[in-house]
Amino acid sequence: MNRTRMTTIIRKEWAELYKNSLVLSTVVFMPLILTALPLVILWASGGFEGSVDVVVSELPPQMVQQCQGLSGAACNQIFIVSQFMLLFMMIPLIIPAAIAPYSIVGEKTQRSLEPLLASPITTTELLLAKNLAAVIPAILATWVSFGIFVVGARLLIHDTLAFNHLFAGRWLIAIFLLAPLLAILSVDLSIMVSSRSNDPRVAQQIASLLVLPVVFLLLGQMLGFLIFNNQVAILFSVVALGIDIVLTYVAVQVFDREAILTRWQ
Amino acid sequence: MAAMIHTDHLTRRFRTKDKTELVAVDNLTIDVQPGEIFGFLGPNGAGKTTTIRLLSCLIAPSSGTATVNGYTVGQQNQAIRQSVGILTETPGMYDRLSAATNLRIFARLYGVADADAQIARYLRLLGLWDRRDDEAGGFSKGMRQKLALARALLHEPPILFLDEPTAGLDPEAAHLVRDFIAELRQQGRTVFLCTHNLDEADRLCDRIAVFKTHLIAVDTPTNLRRKLFSRQVVFHLRAMAPQLVAAVKAHPFVDEVQAIDNKLVVRMHDPELHNPTLIRTLVDAGADIQFVGELRYSLEDVYLQLVQTPSLSA
Ligand SMILES: Nc1ncnc2c1ncn2[C@@H]1O[C@H](COP(=O)(O)OP(=O)(O)OP(=O)(O)O)[C@@H](O)[C@H]1O
Ligand SMILES: [Mg+2]
């Protein structure tokens, strides 16, 4: 694999992305909103005065053990924070679904694919570069958002014990393992959907359906059906990895040069 | 010298939407020599673009073989891609990026050593230097075509595939592109030129293949004319008389004689050999000859003849 050719494509994708204000604003503002939301709620809940017993009586039983030795306010905040973990997982799903359709449909509508495929770039390099061009911003946005969230939470959560919960295994697994895997899943699906569509908006909408499972999980968690602990984080990561492997295998099988030329245009 | 492009029974079939098979290129066997401008002429849907795609390793042949620059299609594709430059039918650019950036992307993909110098050289050569920082999306059709030519040449390929390079250009832009193509031959490059423009093919090409799914004929423009039509000589006379027609007809080498007003149109195969005899005959029969000239067929006549009646190819 040739690094120069891949970085050329990645830089090209980013240069085009930079000129596309619609997609660019999704990439920048969506993570900021998803970060600001939990911080605002944390801030609003800071004045909670009830005792830990009151909070515990309201919580799903699996949460209760985490509240041992904490004040009511701290326990409340931990609960809120864990609710938002899944919200962060939307960032790596949504950003590739915004970027990738434009990168494929853009090649189609500009008719730029044929000269590109006539060049010495290999299909693996091309697919990988297009993947990375969408996955890297998604992962960076997730990490930057998490960084902002950590700094904000430090200021809003006064109980150190509660704050430390942010660095519990499940968070780290989610941010550093699950998020990248979800980003790859999202970009693979987006490329497949886009290769069959001529309208980037339709492709984007279909790809956006990816967030639905996350919304269901979020609901399930709020209603107490699901607790996002270490085991669940690892389980999700394993599932995402499995799907990634299958999708990548299918993509490599399906997209040879001729298929890209005839299907992507 | 070995052929730059060689195909042997190259065939490509497509499966259409209604599950039937469509043969786009059927048993194409040709040789294109180094430094030649090879015209590829055929009506819409003849399979010209498909042939270019086969030879630049964008799609795979269904059967048959081909070599390009000595490399085998299907086995040494990477080496072929590095040796050819391609001007596609619709010269797609990254519209939001500048002309120079568009070229830089391709210079890197082809691993061009002195990218900036090459980009500057071709932008200047094609008169786009002043517009180098403008978005390609704002370019006129002619400018896009020139930019696409620059893109095809950045890596100095010995072989160029040009798919209708002057289609849709105004006469001035077309002229410029044609001059540029003629210059490519001066540099010793081999050019495979698909076109509908017969005049262009006539003026630029060393040899022309007439193609419509099958290869119909391949030869120099002059030979194509000669093979297909016996030649016609026109004698302008002061006055026409029936005995003149009869006297000319009496010669066995004359295929056909027509009297039109005071002109005598004589069809034969070798006017250089037979004209002196004919002139003597006419003068002896009492004709006053004002002019003698040859009626030349345009390549268009040749082309239409070939494409409409493929059986003539034999
Ligand atoms: N990917 C494809 N799938 C199915 N059929 C195809 C495909 N590509 C080309 N064809 C068919 O092959 C035939 C030849 O097409 P091609 O584009 O090579 O013609 P052409 O000579 O370049 O025509 P034009 O002068 O209009 O550009 C056409 O009938 C076309 O419909
Ligand atoms: Mg064509």
Side-chain angles (χ1 to χ4, degrees), chain B residues 4-5 32-40 51-53 55-56 68-69 80-88 110 121-122 126 145-165 177 180-194:
Chain B
M4 282 303 258
I5 301 171
V32 179
Q33 301 306 323
E36 181 173 43
I37 298 191
F38 188 84
F40 207 56
T51 305
I52 286 195
R53 287 181 170 173
L55 294 176
S56 49
V68 175
N69 200 20
I80 293 176
R81 287 187 190 113
Q82 198 69 47
S83 354
V84 306
I86 177 167
L87 179 76
T88 51
Y110 281 96
R121 181 168 116 80
Y122 279 105
L126 288 155
Q145 197 74 337
K146 286 189 247 171
L147 188 58
L149 263 176
R151 177 173 66 188
L153 283 160
L154 281 175
H155 59 292
E156 303 292 349
I159 300 175
L160 274 161
F161 291 107
L162 308 179
D163 201 347
E164 299 178 30
V177 167
F180 194 78
I181 295 170
E183 226 162 88
L184 294 175
R185 176 182 28 203
Q186 301 289 306
Q187 300 163 3
R189 292 185 220 267
T190 307
V191 180
F192 189 94
L193 174 74
C194 287

Side-chain angles (χ1 to χ4, degrees), chain A residues 90-157:
Chain A
M90 286 197 185
I91 301 175
L93 283 174
I94 292 175
I95 288 183
I99 296 177
Y102 268 93
S103 117
I104 305 297
V105 180
E107 300 273 6
K108 288 191 212 182
T109 53
Q110 298 179 106
R111 305 210 155 258
S112 46
L113 203 56
E114 197 167 349
L116 185 61
L117 291 172
S119 83
I121 194 166
T122 66
T123 44
T124 316
E125 285 164 3
L126 179 65
L127 285 172
L128 199 55
K130 290 234 172 219
N131 264 274
L132 287 173
V135 164
I136 292 171
I139 294 176
L140 284 183
T142 311
W143 290 352
V144 168
S145 302
F146 182 64
I148 295 173
F149 181 66
V150 166
V151 172
R154 181 66 238 160
L155 300 173
L156 293 168
I157 302 178

Side-chain angles (χ1 to χ4, degrees), chain A residues 5 8-9 11-12 15-16 19-20 107 110-112 114-122 257-258 261 265, chain B residues 12 14 53 57-60 78 81-82 86 88 90 92-97 105-106 108-110 135 151:
Chain A
R5 292 198 290 254
T8 303
I9 296 299
R11 285 167 64 176
K12 180 221 104 184
E16 285 191 296
K19 299 265 179 165
N20 189 331
E107 300 273 6
Q110 298 179 106
R111 305 210 155 258
S112 46
E114 197 167 349
L116 185 61
L117 291 172
S119 83
I121 194 166
T122 66
R257 231 173 185 81
E258 184 167 339
L261 186 68
Q265 63 186 11
Chain B
R12 172 65 208 216
F14 286 113
R53 287 181 170 173
C57 310
L58 283 164
I59 60 175
Q78 210 59 9
R81 287 187 190 113
Q82 198 69 47
I86 177 167
T88 51
T90 35
M93 292 288 153
Y94 297 113
D95 288 341
R96 291 170 194 255
L97 308 182
I105 290 166
F106 280 83
R108 288 213 193 96
L109 289 179
Y110 281 96
E135 284 187 4
R151 177 173 66 188

Side-chain angles (χ1 to χ4, degrees), chain A residues 258 262, chain B residues 12 14-16 22-25 42-51 53 89 163-164 196 211:
Chain A
E258 184 167 339
T262 47
Chain B
R12 172 65 208 216
F14 286 113
R15 191 161 289 284
T16 54
L22 180 151
V23 184
V25 176
N44 291 123
K48 303 182 295 294
T49 302
T50 304
T51 305
R53 287 181 170 173
E89 207 165 3
D163 201 347
E164 299 178 30
H196 286 137
F211 177 79

Side-chain angles (χ1 to χ4, degrees), chain B residues 198-199 202 220-234 255-256 258 265-269 271 293-306:
Chain B
L198 297 154
D199 186 45
D202 203 2
T220 62
T222 316
N223 283 348
L224 276 181
R225 283 197 196 89
R226 200 172 281 161
K227 257 193 216 164
L228 216 63
F229 300 104
S230 50
R231 291 157 76 189
Q232 298 188 62
V233 180
V234 193
D255 296 333
E256 192 191 338
Q258 269 179 295
V265 182
V266 183
R267 196 188 276 273
M268 65 190 131
H269 268 90
E294 182 173 6
L295 262 189
R296 268 174 74 87
Y297 281 95
S298 70
L299 191 64
E300 189 168 343
D301 300 324
V302 180
Y303 172 80
L304 290 175
Q305 186 75 12
L306 282 171

Side-chain angles (χ1 to χ4, degrees), chain A residues 81-91 171 178 213-219 221 226 228 236:
Chain A
V81 165
S82 26
Q83 298 292 329
F84 284 114
M85 163 110 48
L86 281 171
L87 209 56
F88 272 93
M89 293 303 104
M90 286 197 185
I91 301 175
W171 268 101
L178 183 55
V214 178
V215 174
F216 285 133
L217 289 177
L218 208 61
L219 274 176
Q221 182 179 257
L226 171 96
F228 198 82
F236 283 3

